[in-house]
Amino acid sequence: MVLPALIGLGLAFAQAADGFMTRQGPGVDRAGLVFPSGLWDQVRRHTGHADRPLGYTYEQMLGYPPFEFRLRTVENLFRDVRDPAELGGLIGDNLLAKAGEPAQVAYMLWSQLDARAGREWKTPTAANDWGVPWIPKGTPPTRALSLALSGPAQPPLGLEPATLKALGKAGEAVVRLVARLAIAGHEAAPYLRAASPEVFWFAGRPPSRRAYYDLLVSPYLGDVNDDTILVADRRAYDAMRNWDANYSAVGSALFLRHYESALAEFRAAKSRNLDARFDRVAIETPLGRVELAGAGVDEHGTGGFLTLDLGGNDRYAGLIGSPLDRQRAISVVLDLGGDDAYDGTKTDGNVGCGLFGLGLVHDTGGNDRYQVSNGGIGFGLYGTGMVIDEAGDDLYEAKKGWAQGAAYAGVGLLLDRAGNDRYRTICMSMGFGGTRGIGALVDVAGDDDYYTADTGNESKAWGKTVSMCLGCGYGRRCDSGDGQNQGGGFGIVIEGAGDDKYHTSVFSLGSGYWWGAGIFEERGGNDVYRCTHYCLGSGAHFAIGSFVDLSGDDRYNDRPDAVERWGAIGRDGSVAICIDGDGDDVWGNLTGGHADLDSIAVFWDRRGDDAYKRMQPFDPAQMGNRPFGSAAPYPPMRNFRDRLMSVGVFLDTGGKDVYPAGMTAAEESSWHLQTGPLFWGYGYDGNWSER
């Protein structure tokens, strides 16, 4: 079984016989987390799929509304219920292995939007090679900087004596770094500008950045799950239709590959004995303002093309690492150390927001604080938004949402490589992918705390906050509104290691909605999960949800206020999978493999001594949300749904387990809950071994 969705990751991995691709890097046991072939054959036999994959074909999915912008890479995941977890495992391995290579990470993410561009672009490695014909090889660094700042076919930018003096103090390594980043900007900017043609923008005088931002996000700022939204200005939709993802992808790839190479050269320079006691430098260039600051305590306002700070406990305000407008399409903040504060609360779309281009904030060390109101901290909006933090115990806070690795029409990435970090928001954040977007949160190591508020985005139907966080793919539903329905994107969370805590509400932890796909991968540690429903591998309305916790003694909703309908729950043409690979776990009020209205859901706890608890009343005659492997029956509908099966599967294949009394599930047994030719439920508990 070869997944077309996997091919776009662009890495040369060998194909394994069981359908998984081999992997590198952290999480060395992830590739071994596969369903035993004999067990899977047994599951298919007991659910009416002995002669076919447990999934839905392309032709079967044609019965559901197609909507604009449905991603091929999402649609491919309906063929076999195991596919989303396989894809999540591969993406997780690759992102962790390449966490130090932002260009490769961006390329892999853009590939899932079918925008494969800029792969293996070569950048200069020789010290005397500037990599472009308009700066001859062997040009001295200060002269190269003057040429690089002005750009091709332009006279060299004259540098003031005070600037030259400060650059001399900073040293050649700094001069080379700034020159190479300016070259990268000139190489990449034309493609980023071309991605968003002016033809569908405002007529007459160019509007403010705020006006652009408000227009582009207007279809998505209503309460989540409110399908009555009306947006009268159709330019909000025409922008999505005319945006060119390939240009955005190649522009991002070109800049980031130059950026990687320049930073590697800077870090390796033996002459990098920085004298950071120089006065701050500001240079106006065609790309935007370039600012250099030393290792003291600095206050930075709205930046331009590049803000390079050599260290110290700094404060950033205004627009931070986010393009000013479509013409100045790149903005970078590189801070080389200190306990820094990034306050983007005064301007939406901030702190590593890729509006119209590429926005990057890269902090190499210190205990840092990142704050936005709406839209930021790695937010892709018609471009690439990235925040990379290499070390320290950090706080990431969004007052509302659309943050912390989120995207509409683009790529949003929050990458934290080390430290015990805290993440705070209300909704649509922490690995959130909206229409034509892929949002990823990657935390490589540390004991982390993820919290989405219980108030602030309440559902009219449920009276609970709809989080749509922590690996959530979301499409725009408005069949009671303006009718501009849109397919969803990819939301991804990859947690590398540590004892982590998760507190969230509805639609989180590997969930999909309206042609969206949510992927959550937790690679190790004793973790605590607190959520309500449509979480932990769940999907609703032709969507994909995948949750995998590889190992550790974990606690899942061991609390009386936990609501059922989580842990592999699929509704209305969805595919959902929830896997716990190892450890002695506690599950409270678990659904555990329930299919509702033509869906397929599989729950698997591979091994460990587990306790399944019940803290709510249970009616054995109620099939609407029956736990431990079930499918809700429906009367004939006289349409394509009458030819689709619903399948719910529960599997626990190792350890001594405890189940609540008076229910179907029991230690060392199997059960079958078929309620008609279309509705199949199957459960199994035992110490499985291939015979």
Side-chain angles (χ1 to χ4, degrees), residues 201-202 205-217 302-304 318-331 344 346-360 372 374-377 379-381 384-385:
W201 299 119
F202 297 83
R205 184 173 61 86
S208 65
R209 182 184 187 274
R210 177 60 184 266
Y212 275 131
Y213 179 88
D214 289 348
L215 174 72
L216 296 177
V217 301
T302 292
L319 201 59
I320 306 165
S322 304
L324 293 167
D325 53 42
R326 183 176 162 274
Q327 288 303 313
R328 293 169 288 182
I330 301 171
S331 183
K346 299 296 190 295
T347 304
D348 288 348
N350 207 346
V351 188
C353 174
L355 178 61
F356 301 129
L358 185 146
L360 169 63
V372 296
N374 286 314
I377 314 179
F379 180 39
L381 183 64
T384 301

Side-chain angles (χ1 to χ4, degrees), residues 70-404:
R70 185 179 76 182
L71 294 177
R72 178 195 61 84
T73 44
V74 172
E75 203 279 332
N76 284 337
L77 296 176
F78 289 89
R79 305 295 178 267
D80 190 303
V81 68
R82 296 172 295 176
D83 287 356
E86 292 185 6
L87 176 63
L90 179 63
I91 288 178
D93 285 346
N94 289 348
L95 291 180
L96 291 171
K98 299 296 181 179
E101 302 176 31
Q104 187 61 36
V105 168
Y107 176 82
M108 290 188 288
L109 295 175
W110 275 106
S111 294
Q112 295 307 300
L113 301 178
D114 275 338
R116 297 173 178 82
R119 179 184 180 188
E120 297 180 355
W121 185 266
K122 302 300 181 184
T123 56
T125 56
N128 67 342
D129 183 2
W130 298 101
V132 289
W134 41 279
I135 303 180
K137 289 183 179 181
T139 300
T142 302
R143 172 67 175 174
L145 176 61
S146 297
L147 294 169
L149 291 175
S150 60
Q154 300 295 324
L157 196 67
L159 299 177
E160 299 290 334
T163 299
L164 292 172
K165 181 179 179 181
L167 291 173
K169 271 196 169 185
E172 181 179 312
V174 170
V175 174
R176 284 183 173 277
L177 175 63
V178 176
R180 293 201 185 279
L181 295 184
I183 292 168
H186 286 295
E187 291 286 282
Y191 301 98
L192 295 172
R193 296 178 189 131
S196 302
E198 291 178 295
V199 65
F200 59 85
W201 299 119
F202 297 83
R205 184 173 61 86
S208 65
R209 182 184 187 274
R210 177 60 184 266
Y212 275 131
Y213 179 88
D214 289 348
L215 174 72
L216 296 177
V217 301
S218 59
Y220 315 107
L221 288 182
D223 287 342
V224 179
N225 272 11
D226 180 2
D227 62 359
T228 65
I229 300 172
L230 296 170
V231 178
D233 193 338
R234 66 168 291 164
R235 289 174 299 183
Y237 302 109
D238 289 341
M240 185 73 77
R241 294 173 183 129
N242 287 280
W243 171 65
D244 192 308
N246 293 303
Y247 275 131
S248 282
V250 72
S252 300
L254 292 182
F255 182 85
L256 290 170
R257 292 197 186 281
H258 279 278
Y259 180 81
E260 280 182 11
S261 178
L263 195 56
E265 179 187 61
F266 174 75
R267 285 171 161 166
K270 294 181 179 179
S271 61
R272 190 184 151 208
N273 296 318
L274 301 178
D275 183 350
R277 294 171 293 177
F278 59 83
D279 294 331
R280 287 174 60 169
V281 173
I283 310 169
E284 296 297 332
T285 81
L287 291 167
R289 188 168 65 255
V290 172
E291 294 185 8
L292 306 179
V297 176
D298 298 301
E299 300 282 343
H300 296 280
T302 292
F305 165 66
L306 173 64
T307 300
L308 173 60
D309 191 293
L310 302 185
N313 300 330
D314 307 309
R315 300 294 178 263
Y316 294 83
L319 201 59
I320 306 165
S322 304
L324 293 167
D325 53 42
R326 183 176 162 274
Q327 288 303 313
R328 293 169 288 182
I330 301 171
S331 183
V332 176
V333 171
L334 175 57
D335 190 292
L336 299 182
D339 299 336
D340 306 309
Y342 300 89
D343 184 356
T345 57
K346 299 296 190 295
T347 304
D348 288 348
N350 207 346
V351 188
C353 174
L355 178 61
F356 301 129
L358 185 146
L360 169 63
V361 174
H362 186 170
D363 190 294
T364 64
N367 301 323
D368 307 308
R369 181 173 187 145
Y370 303 83
Q371 292 178 296
V372 296
S373 291
N374 286 314
I377 314 179
F379 180 39
L381 183 64
Y382 292 83
T384 301
M386 304 175 73
V387 168
I388 301 172
D389 190 287
E390 295 192 16
D393 299 336
D394 308 307
L395 171 65
Y396 303 95
E397 185 175 26
K399 291 185 177 180
K400 178 75 174 187
W402 303 277
Q404 302 162 354

Side-chain angles (χ1 to χ4, degrees), residues 512-525:
Y513 182 84
W514 212 254
W515 286 120
I519 291 174
F520 180 95
E521 291 272 325
E522 167 67 68
R523 294 304 177 87

